[in-house]
Amino acid sequence: MIEENITPQKTASTKIPAADDSGVESFDPAKEAVGQEQEGRSNHWEVRTQEQSYAFLPDQEVKEENRYGQLIDLVELTGLPKERPMYINENPEVGSNPNRNKQHGFFFTADNCIGCHACESACAEKNETPAHLAFRSVGYVEGGSYPDYKRMNISMACNHCDDPVCLKGCPTRAYTKHAEYGAVLQDPETCFGCGYCTWVCPYNAPQLDPVKGRVSKCNMCVDRLEVGLKPACVSACVGNALDFGVIENTPENREQCKTEIPGFPTPEITHPNIRFQQTKTLPNEMTRTDSMPVKYHRNEKGQYKPAIDQKAGKAKHWNFKRLNSRENPLVLFTLFAQAAFGVFLIPFLGALLGIEALSGFVASDMFLPLTVTSLAMTTFALLMSVTHLGKPMRFYRGFNNLRYSPMAREGFGLALFCTGCALTSLFLLPGNEYLVTAVNNATSIDLAVLTRGIPLDTLVTGFGIFTLLAGAAGLFYMNKCYQIKARPFWNHIQTSTAFAGNSLSLGAFIGGIIVLSTLTAQGKAIDTATAVFASVFIFGMLIEALGLIKHSYDLNRSENEGGAAHYIQSTTFGKTYIFRNSLLAFNIIAATSLLALHLTGTNDASLLVAWALLALVNCFTAAIGRALFYVLVIPTTMPGAFFWRNKGFEQHARDIGLADNPSSGVAPLH
């Protein structure tokens, strides 16, 4: 996962060897400046003369492997050159840090943290972050009762993981894990503001700025590391709670080097490069003081694991207004893309399987409007996905990381689906030879030569199969986008059943309108086609319902953030959730009854009207379900008890207008 460099942010400074009072080798800016003058060398770094001795990195003996079995020496791990410049602020000089190519990480002693927020302030000052962003933040958990009340503060930033899921997820390749210090750096200028990295990171490290429309994050202060200084947050810590150095090196006067403390998500997701000490006795149960319905309970192994905290009680509410969210474009994107695939899939696959009525339709001129409909719906879906971006005009960067990112593969699959629909439509159009010539002139692809001698129906079938495979790949990776360990509510088979079910039920509705009206206009029997579309319609709703049942069963027995999200679903949105499920059950029962009537020979116009009304109800049901899908999810987050880190405060600030004051730290919704 360690790749080529990108340019980090912020100021660079100078790294100079010297020795402090303890005899540990550190760096003295003044001596280096004198040395450079004597040698006639130009100093391209800012000379730092006001750093205290505790701000310098020690030169320690390091271990060969970390506790996950990965080499700490990243040059040995990757085979990359040892003295590569990082081009910090376009400076090509290489620092003289003896451990430059070792994996570094933070060390947090929870016993020492007094919650003063000096680390936050130092980080904000160095990186010039606005009030609504913070690369490092302090939260806390608490438990017990008077007089044995305990609070534990937690200071957290990016953990520069061994397996950075942000890097893998980012479609634009804005992230790089460097062999220098093992830093995971992000380039805001490459980012187009999709926010996917903020979904997959378990630690709230990437920060999406809704004002600038892009993500930025902790850069490990690599400019300070190059000159032998610890990160700004560490140097500012007044309680000696934060430390920094080569990973697995336990700092002086510390006795633990743990990978977890209460409130910290499981390290198995990313293998983060942070270690902890927490020796003070804590109660068996620690609660968060923010609005998140999560607490932490100590198990028999002494580990604190998440559990549901029923802060909102058990009363059920509607909260229809809160279904409106920043993710509205994604609601439309996913539903329209899935429906478009279903529109093309059902008649075309039916024709391939030899269903006579559908074979006749695909062979007719009316297959063109259906293909164009699929193309238009997918185009609209992709447009919605672009409007969701913070920087929509950078949408073309979404294919940069096809190697790792499911989001990049999703977009590529849907783009190929659009291409397949367009090519299929091209050969269905009357007078298509003129358009083939136009395509040849525009793209230098001689379609006329490539397709010469191939029967038209064979061409249409070939392009149709290509379209089908591309659409299936797009929807497969759409599902993979949401199978995220950091979001247990999504990381479930119900996501797959909902996506597939909506594709079939919505596709059967729209495709059925086109196919059945065409067959009726042609004076052909619609009995078989009606039965096919009705069966697919029912099957789509049925698999969605089965996924919801499984989802509810599993999350009711879950004590992680997925269970907490289901608690919100059953209370804050409880009436809406029951309403959606009731509509879905009604749709299945009513559709099954209509199909039974159809199979017994009842085929009057009122039956078609009933089908149409039922399908419209299903569209409404799907929209509610997808909106719930986005607003309910609770990620594996770090506790955030102060102002903008508290989602309850954010909502309150927006409700009363406090968010209009930039100093509140709450960005207005755009």
Side-chain angles (χ1 to χ4, degrees), residues 338-359:
Q338 290 157 18
F341 178 66
V343 167
F344 188 89
L345 167 73
I346 299 167
F348 186 78
L349 185 59
L352 289 180
L353 294 175
I355 300 174
E356 185 176 348
L358 297 181
S359 298

Side-chain angles (χ1 to χ4, degrees), residues 464-539:
I465 292 173
F466 168 80
T467 305
L468 211 60
L469 294 175
L475 262 65
F476 173 79
Y477 284 109
M478 182 183 291
N479 171 65
K480 294 290 287 184
C481 283
Y482 295 92
Q483 300 294 340
I484 301 171
K485 292 180 180 179
R487 299 199 169 208
F489 186 77
W490 288 348
N491 192 27
H492 191 274
I493 193 174
Q494 188 268 335
T495 298
S496 306
T497 57
F499 286 7
N502 287 152
S503 182
L504 294 177
S505 62
L506 298 176
F509 167 45
I510 300 168
I513 291 175
I514 299 172
V515 174
L516 296 179
S517 60
T518 298
L519 295 177
T520 301
Q522 293 174 344
K524 296 181 179 180
I526 63 170
D527 293 357
T528 303
T530 301
V532 169
F533 281 100
S535 299
V536 173
F537 180 67
I538 295 170
F539 181 66

Side-chain angles (χ1 to χ4, degrees), residues 327-381:
E327 314 301 344
N328 286 346
L330 294 184
V331 173
L332 295 174
F333 163 63
T334 53
L335 288 177
F336 270 81
Q338 290 157 18
F341 178 66
V343 167
F344 188 89
L345 167 73
I346 299 167
F348 186 78
L349 185 59
L352 289 180
L353 294 175
I355 300 174
E356 185 176 348
L358 297 181
S359 298
F361 171 81
V362 171
S364 72
D365 293 338
M366 291 305 294
F367 187 46
L368 174 61
L370 183 137
T371 307
V372 172
T373 299
S374 291
L375 175 61
M377 291 176 67
T378 311
T379 302
F380 174 76

Side-chain angles (χ1 to χ4, degrees), residues 199 323-337 380-389 482 626 630 670:
W199 287 5
L323 292 180
N324 179 39
S325 73
R326 182 185 177 274
E327 314 301 344
N328 286 346
L330 294 184
V331 173
L332 295 174
F333 163 63
T334 53
L335 288 177
F336 270 81
F380 174 76
L382 291 172
L383 177 63
M384 287 297 98
S385 72
V386 169
T387 62
H388 180 261
L389 302 177
Y482 295 92
R626 193 54 48 84
Y630 284 107
H670 290 275

